Amino acid sequence: MPVPGPSLAQSSLPAAAARFGAHGHGRGAEAAPAGKPALPTGPALPFGPSARPLHPVSPPSPVPAPAPAPPPASALERIIRGPSGVGTAGLFFTPRQAPPVVPPAVRSTASPAPQLPAPPPAAEGRPIPGLYHHPVPEPDPARVAEVSRRIKRWAVDEVEAYPPEWEDQFDGFSVGRYMVACHPDAPTVDHLMIATRLMVAENVVDDCYCEDHGGSPVGLGGRLLLAHTALDPVHTTAEYQPAWAQSLLSDAPRRSYRSAMEYFTQAATPSQADRYRHDMARLHMGYLAEAAWAETKYVPEVSEYLAMRQFNNFRPCPTITDTVGGYELPADLHALPAMQRVIALAGNATTISNDLYSYTKELESPGLHLNLPVVIAAREGLSEKEAYLKAVEVHNDLMHAFEAAAAELALSCPDPRVVRFLRGVAVWVDGNHYWHRTNTYRYSLPDFW
């Protein structure tokens, strides 16, 4: 996928920077909402090597050449090449290491395959060979332990999110390690808990309404709409208000949404809360598209699947990075088309990473479970391995586009709040990959290397 050039909307970014940065239009980055105490703020997070060092991608182990000679740039070779794309280097103020170049003679079928280092053992949670990513430091174990303790107490005692027989699955999800890795700049554990409750609530809805624990595409729209009212309250007549309020306690998904949203709105500004509701509506619309395809047994075109995944994806998680960090990116800056592109690309890349890591898990589930490798194989007539490797390419292209767009926006709109938010989204992307790679309870890789 070629990395797009500057969009037309970006021509207005310098003006936006001057308007919002110099004069503090709207609420400032550190101002507290009316009637709420100011949240503590962490230090600014620069784009730089000290905060986010660049690590080379571990290449895959040698793959024997097939009988017919491959084209000069095969799928696997293009993956091994590593990061590329206009503007990608702008996120890092140190030169990138040049990727290893395999001479043409080595690539030919008459010569032996290059001796590339093997990936670490799968038991350690190895990354997908060739997947473009940035390793992150191990999350703070003290914070992981405390978040894990608090979230389990919330899920069990406050909202009764799952029965005792699901306890091993809840523990195996490792949500405490997940959220600490994704939000290392959270000032306090209370801030981390904002994201952790919302993450668990989203998964309760997905499991109970859509997939693993009794979910079904049949009637999903009605269930999702009623659950969404736990995030976006119904304003009705006095006669019917009590019935709606009581309905929010009627099942685990609605109890979880209601409670997690109450905690979130205590810390978020009205603008941040409305932003989150909007992104959750996007998520629910994506759920419904996938459910409609399941009901009609329709395998979408690859372009259609990627469009669905822009909605049914992780977007609600990185979009709250400022709330969890204890500051606010004002609505005017968040709504910039260039910022919306960055957030969309971050959500798209991380969601395709999920498709790749959960591939074998989903193949073991009953029925046809759509993910990008499955759709590519069906629509483009490729083998399972070829389709999976092409899906890795799609992920890498999305990551390069995300980094290029973020670097371009950081230069075009150098408001410190914009740069800090971009940094938070980038760190979330890295932490999300870390969790998928290390969660061997849930995920294992296919034997394609």
Side-chain angles (χ1 to χ4, degrees), residues 293-351:
W293 292 340
E295 282 196 274
T296 58
K297 295 180 170 53
Y298 175 69
V299 177
E301 298 286 350
V302 177
S303 60
E304 294 173 329
Y305 178 81
L306 291 172
M308 180 274 291
R309 275 312 228 171
Q310 179 158 314
F311 294 87
N312 178 3
N313 76 6
F314 285 110
R315 183 185 180 119
C317 302
T319 202
I320 64 170
T321 187
D322 54 340
T323 308
V324 181
Y327 67 100
E328 181 184 18
L329 178 70
D332 308 74
L333 295 177
H334 180 267
L336 289 171
M339 179 64 78
Q340 290 297 300
R341 172 172 167 76
V342 169
I343 297 170
L345 285 168
N348 293 348
T350 52
T351 301

Short mmCIF file of all heavy atoms in Angstrom, two decimals, residues 293-351:
data_model
loop_
_atom_site.label_atom_id
_atom_site.label_comp_id
_atom_site.label_asym_id
_atom_site.label_seq_id
_atom_site.Cartn_x
_atom_site.Cartn_y
_atom_site.Cartn_z
N TRP A 293 -23.05 -9.98 7.77
CA TRP A 293 -22.36 -10.90 6.87
C TRP A 293 -22.44 -12.33 7.38
O TRP A 293 -22.57 -13.27 6.59
CB TRP A 293 -20.90 -10.47 6.72
CG TRP A 293 -20.74 -9.17 5.98
CD1 TRP A 293 -21.66 -8.59 5.14
CD2 TRP A 293 -19.62 -8.29 6.01
NE1 TRP A 293 -21.17 -7.40 4.65
CE2 TRP A 293 -19.92 -7.19 5.16
CE3 TRP A 293 -18.39 -8.31 6.66
CZ2 TRP A 293 -19.02 -6.14 4.95
CZ3 TRP A 293 -17.49 -7.26 6.46
CH2 TRP A 293 -17.82 -6.20 5.62
N ALA A 294 -22.35 -12.50 8.70
CA ALA A 294 -22.45 -13.86 9.26
C ALA A 294 -23.83 -14.44 9.01
O ALA A 294 -23.97 -15.64 8.67
CB ALA A 294 -22.15 -13.83 10.76
N GLU A 295 -24.87 -13.63 9.16
CA GLU A 295 -26.23 -14.14 8.95
C GLU A 295 -26.46 -14.55 7.51
O GLU A 295 -27.18 -15.51 7.23
CB GLU A 295 -27.24 -13.06 9.36
CG GLU A 295 -27.45 -12.93 10.85
CD GLU A 295 -28.71 -12.16 11.18
OE1 GLU A 295 -28.63 -10.91 11.24
OE2 GLU A 295 -29.77 -12.79 11.37
N THR A 296 -25.87 -13.80 6.57
CA THR A 296 -26.09 -14.10 5.15
C THR A 296 -24.98 -14.97 4.56
O THR A 296 -24.99 -15.24 3.36
CB THR A 296 -26.18 -12.79 4.35
OG1 THR A 296 -24.97 -12.04 4.54
CG2 THR A 296 -27.37 -11.96 4.81
N LYS A 297 -24.01 -15.37 5.42
CA LYS A 297 -22.87 -16.19 4.98
C LYS A 297 -22.12 -15.52 3.82
O LYS A 297 -21.69 -16.18 2.85
CB LYS A 297 -23.33 -17.59 4.59
CG LYS A 297 -23.89 -18.39 5.76
CD LYS A 297 -24.34 -19.78 5.34
CE LYS A 297 -24.67 -20.65 6.56
NZ LYS A 297 -25.63 -20.04 7.48
N TYR A 298 -21.95 -14.23 3.93
CA TYR A 298 -21.27 -13.45 2.90
C TYR A 298 -19.81 -13.25 3.28
O TYR A 298 -19.51 -12.83 4.40
CB TYR A 298 -21.95 -12.09 2.74
CG TYR A 298 -21.26 -11.14 1.78
CD1 TYR A 298 -21.25 -11.41 0.41
CD2 TYR A 298 -20.63 -9.99 2.24
CE1 TYR A 298 -20.63 -10.55 -0.48
CE2 TYR A 298 -20.01 -9.11 1.36
CZ TYR A 298 -20.00 -9.39 0.00
OH TYR A 298 -19.38 -8.55 -0.88
N VAL A 299 -18.91 -13.58 2.37
CA VAL A 299 -17.49 -13.30 2.56
C VAL A 299 -17.20 -11.99 1.82
O VAL A 299 -17.28 -11.94 0.59
CB VAL A 299 -16.61 -14.42 2.03
CG1 VAL A 299 -15.14 -14.06 2.18
CG2 VAL A 299 -16.91 -15.73 2.76
N PRO A 300 -16.88 -10.93 2.53
CA PRO A 300 -16.71 -9.63 1.86
C PRO A 300 -15.45 -9.58 1.00
O PRO A 300 -14.53 -10.40 1.15
CB PRO A 300 -16.58 -8.66 3.05
CG PRO A 300 -16.01 -9.51 4.15
CD PRO A 300 -16.62 -10.86 3.97
N GLU A 301 -15.45 -8.64 0.08
CA GLU A 301 -14.22 -8.32 -0.62
C GLU A 301 -13.20 -7.81 0.40
O GLU A 301 -13.57 -7.33 1.48
CB GLU A 301 -14.46 -7.24 -1.68
CG GLU A 301 -15.44 -7.62 -2.77
CD GLU A 301 -14.86 -8.61 -3.77
OE1 GLU A 301 -13.62 -8.85 -3.72
OE2 GLU A 301 -15.62 -9.15 -4.59
N VAL A 302 -11.93 -7.89 0.06
CA VAL A 302 -10.89 -7.44 1.01
C VAL A 302 -11.10 -5.96 1.35
O VAL A 302 -10.99 -5.56 2.51
CB VAL A 302 -9.49 -7.68 0.43
CG1 VAL A 302 -8.42 -7.13 1.38
CG2 VAL A 302 -9.26 -9.17 0.18
N SER A 303 -11.42 -5.16 0.36
CA SER A 303 -11.64 -3.74 0.63
C SER A 303 -12.83 -3.53 1.55
O SER A 303 -12.83 -2.64 2.42
CB SER A 303 -11.84 -2.97 -0.68
OG SER A 303 -12.98 -3.48 -1.38
N GLU A 304 -13.87 -4.34 1.40
CA GLU A 304 -15.05 -4.24 2.26
C GLU A 304 -14.69 -4.67 3.69
O GLU A 304 -15.14 -4.05 4.66
CB GLU A 304 -16.18 -5.11 1.72
CG GLU A 304 -16.74 -4.64 0.40
CD GLU A 304 -17.74 -5.63 -0.19
OE1 GLU A 304 -17.61 -6.85 0.05
OE2 GLU A 304 -18.67 -5.17 -0.89
N TYR A 305 -13.91 -5.73 3.80
CA TYR A 305 -13.52 -6.19 5.13
C TYR A 305 -12.70 -5.11 5.84
O TYR A 305 -12.93 -4.83 7.03
CB TYR A 305 -12.70 -7.48 5.02
CG TYR A 305 -12.24 -7.96 6.38
CD1 TYR A 305 -13.09 -8.69 7.21
CD2 TYR A 305 -10.97 -7.67 6.85
CE1 TYR A 305 -12.69 -9.10 8.47
CE2 TYR A 305 -10.55 -8.08 8.11
CZ TYR A 305 -11.42 -8.80 8.91
OH TYR A 305 -11.01 -9.20 10.16
N LEU A 306 -11.75 -4.50 5.13
CA LEU A 306 -10.93 -3.46 5.75
C LEU A 306 -11.78 -2.25 6.15
O LEU A 306 -11.51 -1.60 7.16
CB LEU A 306 -9.81 -3.05 4.82
CG LEU A 306 -8.72 -4.11 4.59
CD1 LEU A 306 -7.76 -3.66 3.50
CD2 LEU A 306 -7.96 -4.39 5.88
N ALA A 307 -12.81 -1.94 5.36
CA ALA A 307 -13.72 -0.86 5.73
C ALA A 307 -14.45 -1.20 7.02
O ALA A 307 -14.59 -0.36 7.93
CB ALA A 307 -14.71 -0.59 4.61
N MET A 308 -14.94 -2.44 7.14
CA MET A 308 -15.62 -2.86 8.36
C MET A 308 -14.68 -2.78 9.55
O MET A 308 -15.04 -2.32 10.64
CB MET A 308 -16.15 -4.29 8.20
CG MET A 308 -16.89 -4.85 9.41
SD MET A 308 -15.82 -5.63 10.64
CE MET A 308 -15.26 -7.10 9.77
N ARG A 309 -13.42 -3.17 9.35
CA ARG A 309 -12.46 -3.18 10.45
C ARG A 309 -12.06 -1.78 10.89
O ARG A 309 -11.53 -1.61 11.99
CB ARG A 309 -11.22 -3.98 10.05
CG ARG A 309 -11.33 -5.47 10.26
CD ARG A 309 -11.87 -5.83 11.62
NE ARG A 309 -11.09 -6.86 12.30
CZ ARG A 309 -11.28 -7.21 13.56
NH1 ARG A 309 -12.22 -6.61 14.27
NH2 ARG A 309 -10.55 -8.13 14.12
N GLN A 310 -12.31 -0.78 10.07
CA GLN A 310 -12.06 0.58 10.55
C GLN A 310 -13.08 0.98 11.61
O GLN A 310 -12.83 1.90 12.40
CB GLN A 310 -12.07 1.59 9.40
CG GLN A 310 -11.86 3.03 9.87
CD GLN A 310 -11.36 3.95 8.80
OE1 GLN A 310 -10.45 3.64 8.05
NE2 GLN A 310 -11.95 5.14 8.71
N PHE A 311 -14.19 0.31 11.66
CA PHE A 311 -15.22 0.60 12.66
C PHE A 311 -15.17 -0.44 13.79
O PHE A 311 -15.20 -0.08 14.96
CB PHE A 311 -16.59 0.66 11.99
CG PHE A 311 -16.70 1.82 11.03
CD1 PHE A 311 -16.29 1.69 9.71
CD2 PHE A 311 -17.18 3.05 11.46
CE1 PHE A 311 -16.36 2.76 8.83
CE2 PHE A 311 -17.25 4.13 10.60
CZ PHE A 311 -16.84 3.98 9.28
N ASN A 312 -15.12 -1.69 13.43
CA ASN A 312 -15.01 -2.76 14.43
C ASN A 312 -13.54 -2.93 14.76
O ASN A 312 -12.87 -3.84 14.29
CB ASN A 312 -15.60 -4.06 13.87
CG ASN A 312 -15.48 -5.22 14.84
OD1 ASN A 312 -15.02 -5.06 15.96
ND2 ASN A 312 -15.90 -6.39 14.39
N ASN A 313 -13.01 -1.99 15.58
CA ASN A 313 -11.58 -2.05 15.88
C ASN A 313 -11.27 -1.43 17.24
O ASN A 313 -12.16 -1.15 18.03
CB ASN A 313 -10.76 -1.44 14.73
CG ASN A 313 -10.77 0.08 14.69
OD1 ASN A 313 -11.31 0.75 15.57
ND2 ASN A 313 -10.15 0.63 13.66
N PHE A 314 -10.01 -1.20 17.49
CA PHE A 314 -9.56 -0.74 18.81
C PHE A 314 -9.69 0.77 19.01
O PHE A 314 -9.25 1.28 20.05
CB PHE A 314 -8.08 -1.11 19.01
CG PHE A 314 -7.83 -2.56 19.29
CD1 PHE A 314 -7.21 -3.37 18.35
CD2 PHE A 314 -8.19 -3.10 20.51
CE1 PHE A 314 -6.96 -4.71 18.62
CE2 PHE A 314 -7.96 -4.44 20.80
CZ PHE A 314 -7.34 -5.25 19.86
N ARG A 315 -10.25 1.49 18.08
CA ARG A 315 -10.22 2.95 18.13
C ARG A 315 -10.65 3.54 19.48
O ARG A 315 -10.03 4.51 19.94
CB ARG A 315 -11.09 3.51 17.00
CG ARG A 315 -11.07 5.03 16.95
CD ARG A 315 -12.03 5.57 15.91
NE ARG A 315 -11.98 7.02 15.87
CZ ARG A 315 -11.64 7.74 14.81
NH1 ARG A 315 -11.29 7.14 13.70
NH2 ARG A 315 -11.62 9.05 14.86
N PRO A 316 -11.70 3.05 20.15
CA PRO A 316 -12.07 3.68 21.43
C PRO A 316 -10.96 3.65 22.48
O PRO A 316 -10.99 4.46 23.42
CB PRO A 316 -13.29 2.86 21.89
CG PRO A 316 -13.86 2.29 20.63
CD PRO A 316 -12.67 1.99 19.77
N CYS A 317 -10.01 2.75 22.34
CA CYS A 317 -8.97 2.62 23.37
C CYS A 317 -7.90 3.70 23.26
O CYS A 317 -7.66 4.42 24.23
CB CYS A 317 -8.35 1.23 23.31
SG CYS A 317 -9.54 -0.11 23.51
N PRO A 318 -7.23 3.87 22.12
CA PRO A 318 -6.24 4.95 22.07
C PRO A 318 -6.84 6.34 22.08
O PRO A 318 -6.16 7.30 22.44
CB PRO A 318 -5.49 4.69 20.75
CG PRO A 318 -6.42 3.87 19.93
CD PRO A 318 -7.19 3.04 20.90
N THR A 319 -8.12 6.47 21.73
CA THR A 319 -8.70 7.81 21.69
C THR A 319 -8.88 8.42 23.08
O THR A 319 -9.07 9.63 23.20
CB THR A 319 -10.05 7.79 20.92
OG1 THR A 319 -10.36 9.09 20.44
CG2 THR A 319 -11.19 7.32 21.81
N ILE A 320 -8.80 7.60 24.14
CA ILE A 320 -8.91 8.14 25.50
C ILE A 320 -7.54 8.30 26.16
O ILE A 320 -7.45 8.48 27.38
CB ILE A 320 -9.82 7.26 26.39
CG1 ILE A 320 -9.20 5.86 26.58
CG2 ILE A 320 -11.22 7.18 25.82
CD1 ILE A 320 -9.92 5.03 27.64
N THR A 321 -6.48 8.24 25.36
CA THR A 321 -5.15 8.29 25.95
C THR A 321 -4.89 9.57 26.73
O THR A 321 -4.13 9.58 27.70
CB THR A 321 -4.07 8.10 24.86
OG1 THR A 321 -2.80 7.98 25.46
CG2 THR A 321 -4.06 9.26 23.88
N ASP A 322 -5.54 10.68 26.34
CA ASP A 322 -5.32 11.92 27.10
C ASP A 322 -6.03 11.88 28.45
O ASP A 322 -5.49 12.34 29.46
CB ASP A 322 -5.74 13.14 26.29
CG ASP A 322 -7.16 13.08 25.75
OD1 ASP A 322 -7.73 11.97 25.65
OD2 ASP A 322 -7.71 14.15 25.41
N THR A 323 -7.24 11.33 28.50
CA THR A 323 -7.92 11.19 29.79
C THR A 323 -7.11 10.34 30.74
O THR A 323 -6.93 10.69 31.91
CB THR A 323 -9.32 10.57 29.60
OG1 THR A 323 -10.05 11.29 28.62
CG2 THR A 323 -10.09 10.57 30.92
N VAL A 324 -6.61 9.22 30.25
CA VAL A 324 -5.81 8.33 31.10
C VAL A 324 -4.49 8.99 31.48
O VAL A 324 -3.97 8.76 32.57
CB VAL A 324 -5.57 6.98 30.39
CG1 VAL A 324 -4.76 6.03 31.26
CG2 VAL A 324 -6.89 6.34 30.00
N GLY A 325 -3.97 9.85 30.61
CA GLY A 325 -2.74 10.58 30.92
C GLY A 325 -2.94 11.78 31.81
O GLY A 325 -1.97 12.40 32.24
N GLY A 326 -4.20 12.13 32.10
CA GLY A 326 -4.48 13.23 33.02
C GLY A 326 -4.47 14.61 32.39
O GLY A 326 -4.22 15.61 33.06
N TYR A 327 -4.74 14.71 31.08
CA TYR A 327 -4.80 16.00 30.42
C TYR A 327 -5.89 15.92 29.36
O TYR A 327 -6.57 14.89 29.25
CB TYR A 327 -3.45 16.36 29.79
CG TYR A 327 -3.05 15.47 28.64
CD1 TYR A 327 -3.22 15.88 27.31
CD2 TYR A 327 -2.49 14.21 28.86
CE1 TYR A 327 -2.85 15.06 26.25
CE2 TYR A 327 -2.12 13.38 27.80
CZ TYR A 327 -2.30 13.81 26.51
OH TYR A 327 -1.96 13.00 25.46
N GLU A 328 -6.07 16.98 28.57
CA GLU A 328 -7.06 16.96 27.51
C GLU A 328 -6.49 17.51 26.22
O GLU A 328 -5.86 18.57 26.21
CB GLU A 328 -8.30 17.78 27.88
CG GLU A 328 -9.36 17.73 26.76
CD GLU A 328 -10.58 18.61 27.02
OE1 GLU A 328 -10.47 19.51 27.88
OE2 GLU A 328 -11.62 18.39 26.38
N LEU A 329 -6.71 16.77 25.14
CA LEU A 329 -6.54 17.33 23.80
C LEU A 329 -7.86 17.98 23.43
O LEU A 329 -8.88 17.28 23.31
CB LEU A 329 -6.19 16.23 22.80
CG LEU A 329 -6.05 16.70 21.35
CD1 LEU A 329 -4.78 17.53 21.18
CD2 LEU A 329 -6.03 15.50 20.39
N PRO A 330 -7.91 19.31 23.29
CA PRO A 330 -9.18 19.97 23.05
C PRO A 330 -9.91 19.43 21.81
O PRO A 330 -9.29 18.93 20.86
CB PRO A 330 -8.79 21.44 22.86
CG PRO A 330 -7.50 21.57 23.60
CD PRO A 330 -6.80 20.26 23.42
N ALA A 331 -11.22 19.53 21.84
CA ALA A 331 -12.05 18.96 20.78
C ALA A 331 -11.67 19.49 19.40
O ALA A 331 -11.68 18.74 18.42
CB ALA A 331 -13.52 19.24 21.06
N ASP A 332 -11.32 20.77 19.32
CA ASP A 332 -10.98 21.36 18.02
C ASP A 332 -9.74 20.70 17.42
O ASP A 332 -9.66 20.49 16.20
CB ASP A 332 -10.73 22.86 18.17
CG ASP A 332 -11.88 23.56 18.88
OD1 ASP A 332 -11.98 23.38 20.12
OD2 ASP A 332 -12.65 24.26 18.22
N LEU A 333 -8.77 20.38 18.26
CA LEU A 333 -7.56 19.73 17.77
C LEU A 333 -7.80 18.24 17.50
O LEU A 333 -7.27 17.68 16.55
CB LEU A 333 -6.43 19.91 18.78
CG LEU A 333 -5.96 21.36 18.99
CD1 LEU A 333 -4.89 21.42 20.07
CD2 LEU A 333 -5.44 21.96 17.69
N HIS A 334 -8.60 17.62 18.33
CA HIS A 334 -8.92 16.21 18.11
C HIS A 334 -9.68 16.01 16.80
O HIS A 334 -9.52 15.00 16.12
CB HIS A 334 -9.74 15.67 19.28
CG HIS A 334 -10.11 14.22 19.15
ND1 HIS A 334 -11.29 13.81 18.59
CD2 HIS A 334 -9.44 13.10 19.48
CE1 HIS A 334 -11.34 12.48 18.59
NE2 HIS A 334 -10.23 12.02 19.13
N ALA A 335 -10.50 16.99 16.43
CA ALA A 335 -11.35 16.88 15.24
C ALA A 335 -10.62 17.22 13.95
O ALA A 335 -11.19 17.07 12.87
CB ALA A 335 -12.58 17.77 15.38
N LEU A 336 -9.37 17.69 14.01
CA LEU A 336 -8.65 17.98 12.77
C LEU A 336 -8.64 16.76 11.86
O LEU A 336 -8.38 15.64 12.32
CB LEU A 336 -7.21 18.39 13.09
CG LEU A 336 -7.00 19.76 13.75
CD1 LEU A 336 -5.55 19.90 14.19
CD2 LEU A 336 -7.37 20.87 12.78
N PRO A 337 -8.94 16.91 10.58
CA PRO A 337 -8.90 15.75 9.70
C PRO A 337 -7.60 14.97 9.76
O PRO A 337 -7.60 13.73 9.70
CB PRO A 337 -9.13 16.37 8.31
CG PRO A 337 -9.91 17.61 8.59
CD PRO A 337 -9.38 18.14 9.90
N ALA A 338 -6.49 15.66 9.91
CA ALA A 338 -5.20 14.97 9.99
C ALA A 338 -5.11 14.14 11.26
O ALA A 338 -4.53 13.04 11.25
CB ALA A 338 -4.06 15.98 9.92
N MET A 339 -5.65 14.64 12.37
CA MET A 339 -5.65 13.86 13.61
C MET A 339 -6.58 12.66 13.49
O MET A 339 -6.27 11.56 13.96
CB MET A 339 -6.07 14.74 14.78
CG MET A 339 -6.11 14.01 16.14
SD MET A 339 -4.47 13.44 16.66
CE MET A 339 -3.77 14.99 17.26
N GLN A 340 -7.72 12.86 12.86
CA GLN A 340 -8.65 11.74 12.67
C GLN A 340 -8.02 10.65 11.81
O GLN A 340 -8.23 9.46 12.05
CB GLN A 340 -9.94 12.25 12.03
CG GLN A 340 -10.78 13.11 12.96
CD GLN A 340 -11.25 12.33 14.17
OE1 GLN A 340 -11.94 11.32 14.05
NE2 GLN A 340 -10.86 12.78 15.36
N ARG A 341 -7.22 11.05 10.84
CA ARG A 341 -6.52 10.05 10.02
C ARG A 341 -5.52 9.26 10.86
O ARG A 341 -5.44 8.03 10.76
CB ARG A 341 -5.83 10.74 8.85
CG ARG A 341 -4.92 9.81 8.05
CD ARG A 341 -4.40 10.47 6.77
NE ARG A 341 -3.30 9.68 6.19
CZ ARG A 341 -3.46 8.55 5.53
NH1 ARG A 341 -4.67 8.07 5.33
NH2 ARG A 341 -2.43 7.91 5.02
N VAL A 342 -4.77 9.95 11.69
CA VAL A 342 -3.79 9.27 12.55
C VAL A 342 -4.49 8.26 13.45
O VAL A 342 -4.06 7.10 13.57
CB VAL A 342 -3.01 10.29 13.39
CG1 VAL A 342 -2.20 9.58 14.48
CG2 VAL A 342 -2.08 11.12 12.51
N ILE A 343 -5.57 8.67 14.10
CA ILE A 343 -6.28 7.77 15.03
C ILE A 343 -6.87 6.59 14.27
O ILE A 343 -6.82 5.44 14.74
CB ILE A 343 -7.37 8.55 15.79
CG1 ILE A 343 -6.73 9.64 16.65
CG2 ILE A 343 -8.19 7.61 16.66
CD1 ILE A 343 -7.74 10.62 17.25
N ALA A 344 -7.43 6.85 13.09
CA ALA A 344 -8.01 5.76 12.30
C ALA A 344 -6.94 4.75 11.89
O ALA A 344 -7.14 3.53 11.99
CB ALA A 344 -8.72 6.32 11.08
N LEU A 345 -5.79 5.24 11.45
CA LEU A 345 -4.72 4.34 11.03
C LEU A 345 -4.18 3.53 12.21
O LEU A 345 -3.86 2.35 12.08
CB LEU A 345 -3.59 5.12 10.38
CG LEU A 345 -3.87 5.63 8.95
CD1 LEU A 345 -2.81 6.63 8.52
CD2 LEU A 345 -3.92 4.45 7.97
N ALA A 346 -4.10 4.16 13.38
CA ALA A 346 -3.66 3.43 14.57
C ALA A 346 -4.63 2.30 14.90
O ALA A 346 -4.22 1.17 15.19
CB ALA A 346 -3.53 4.38 15.76
N GLY A 347 -5.92 2.61 14.86
CA GLY A 347 -6.92 1.58 15.11
C GLY A 347 -6.89 0.48 14.07
O GLY A 347 -7.01 -0.71 14.39
N ASN A 348 -6.70 0.85 12.81
CA ASN A 348 -6.68 -0.15 11.74
C ASN A 348 -5.48 -1.08 11.86
O ASN A 348 -5.60 -2.30 11.73
CB ASN A 348 -6.67 0.54 10.37
CG ASN A 348 -7.95 1.28 10.08
OD1 ASN A 348 -8.95 1.12 10.78
ND2 ASN A 348 -7.95 2.12 9.06
N ALA A 349 -4.31 -0.50 12.11
CA ALA A 349 -3.10 -1.32 12.20
C ALA A 349 -3.18 -2.28 13.39
O ALA A 349 -2.85 -3.47 13.26
CB ALA A 349 -1.87 -0.43 12.33
N THR A 350 -3.60 -1.79 14.54
CA THR A 350 -3.65 -2.66 15.72
C THR A 350 -4.72 -3.75 15.56
O THR A 350 -4.56 -4.86 16.08
CB THR A 350 -3.92 -1.85 16.99
OG1 THR A 350 -5.08 -1.02 16.81
CG2 THR A 350 -2.74 -0.97 17.35
N THR A 351 -5.78 -3.46 14.85
CA THR A 351 -6.83 -4.45 14.66
C THR A 351 -6.38 -5.55 13.70
O THR A 351 -6.69 -6.72 13.91
CB THR A 351 -8.11 -3.77 14.15
OG1 THR A 351 -8.51 -2.79 15.11
CG2 THR A 351 -9.23 -4.78 13.99
#
